[in-house]
Amino acid sequence: MSTKPRISSAVPDQPAQFATVMMHTPASTGRFFELYAEFWQRGVVADELKEMTRMRNARITDCGY
Amino acid sequence: MSWIDATQAPTALEAALAHRPELLARYRAFYGSFWADGLVPRRVLELCRLRVAAIHDCESEWLLRDAEVNLDADEQERLRAGEVEGFTGPERAALALAEQIPYGHHQVTDAQVEVATAAFGEPACVSLLTALAFFDVTCRLRLVLDLPAEPGVLDAPPLSNGALA
């Protein structure tokens, strides 16, 4: 795993982070956030259960972000 | 037989997601954007989608084909086996990343991303990596739902009508 960003920020004067790198594809990213928001804002599964599974998934995939 | 009862929809995946119509609509809109934005060549998306399906042994994804990409039998056989000789340099760069996404994402190297970025440019590389992650998600979803494997030729795989306006 790299210790430095592999793709530059698409936002001038902003560091390369998930959101600024994803802004290389603003249309697709906007639709991703709309989909992701559907899980969290209007889903039928309890927030606590979703948060628990999200964190467990992050651990299993060793994603420290 | 799938774990989830089907509703009326053109494909098995959409039939399962249609239990949550708004989720299906947003899934379609996001997934279709990889084909709609034109950043990654459609043939490259098809090669990578099928390679990820082959790695997962996901027959319901493997049997779908993009209506605008005609892979010959030899190409399909090599994709299934993970043999990249004969594909172009940019295609091999994309397939190298596709190879790692399902089970080797921590082994993706700086060099692999650099090669892909040089081949496609940064915006397209972001689009490609996002598409690869979602190809992986879609296969996992298909397998967990135990969706039937049915051949299909679709406008924006794996959905019947691609992005919504």
Side-chain angles (χ1 to χ4, degrees):
Chain A
M1 183 63 74
S2 181
T3 56
K4 62 180 177 59
R6 290 166 168 165
I7 304 282
S8 69
S9 168
V11 181
D13 303 323
Q14 294 289 319
Q17 300 170 340
F18 181 74
T20 61
V21 168
M22 294 304 290
M23 286 309 294
H24 281 291
T25 57
S28 177
T29 298
R31 287 179 166 167
F32 170 76
F33 286 130
E34 288 171 4
L35 173 62
Y36 206 67
E38 175 67 17
F39 296 137
W40 294 99
Q41 294 174 2
R42 305 208 308 169
V44 296
V45 178
D47 288 348
E48 292 81 2
L49 188 58
K50 286 185 284 193
E51 179 68 355
M52 189 170 63
T53 55
R54 183 189 68 80
M55 292 178 70
R56 182 60 188 147
N57 190 62
R59 293 294 291 175
I60 291 170
T61 53
D62 195 16
C63 182
Y65 294 104
Chain B
M1 191 178 81
S2 175
W3 300 105
I4 305 292
D5 291 337
T7 62
Q8 291 295 317
T11 68
L13 179 61
E14 288 164 285
L17 294 178
H19 285 285
R20 292 288 318 286
E22 186 64 22
L23 181 64
L24 172 60
R26 293 182 184 208
Y27 185 96
R28 274 180 176 154
F30 171 58
Y31 200 86
S33 68
F34 303 126
W35 285 266
D37 68 17
L39 290 171
V40 180
R42 197 161 177 142
R43 179 180 154 88
V44 172
L45 288 173
E46 180 73 343
L47 293 173
C48 291
R49 184 183 64 81
L50 290 174
R51 183 59 198 146
V52 170
I55 292 168
H56 276 296
D57 197 18
C58 181
E59 200 67 9
S60 65
E61 182 73 31
W62 173 265
L63 288 176
L64 298 179
R65 293 293 182 274
D66 184 335
E68 293 187 14
V69 178
N70 294 310
L71 301 178
D72 64 35
D74 179 60
E75 288 175 320
Q76 293 179 47
E77 190 174 320
R78 283 186 284 124
L79 265 185
R80 180 86 97 164
E83 297 168 357
V84 298
E85 285 185 23
F87 294 110
T88 69
E91 289 169 355
R92 289 199 302 275
L95 285 168
L97 293 169
E99 197 70 26
Q100 304 281 67
I101 287 293
Y103 300 111
H105 50 288
H106 283 287
Q107 282 72 52
V108 171
T109 66
D110 291 348
Q112 285 177 314
V113 177
E114 284 178 17
V115 169
T117 302
F120 299 107
E122 280 196 320
C125 194
V126 171
S127 184
L128 173 64
L129 288 166
T130 309
L132 292 176
F134 221 67
F135 294 159
D136 182 51
V137 165
T138 301
C139 283
R140 291 171 186 269
L141 187 57
R142 287 179 178 282
L143 292 166
V144 168
L145 292 173
D146 196 17
L147 296 177
E150 299 167 345
V153 179
L154 305 175
D155 290 336
L159 304 175
S160 60
N161 59 356
L164 300 178

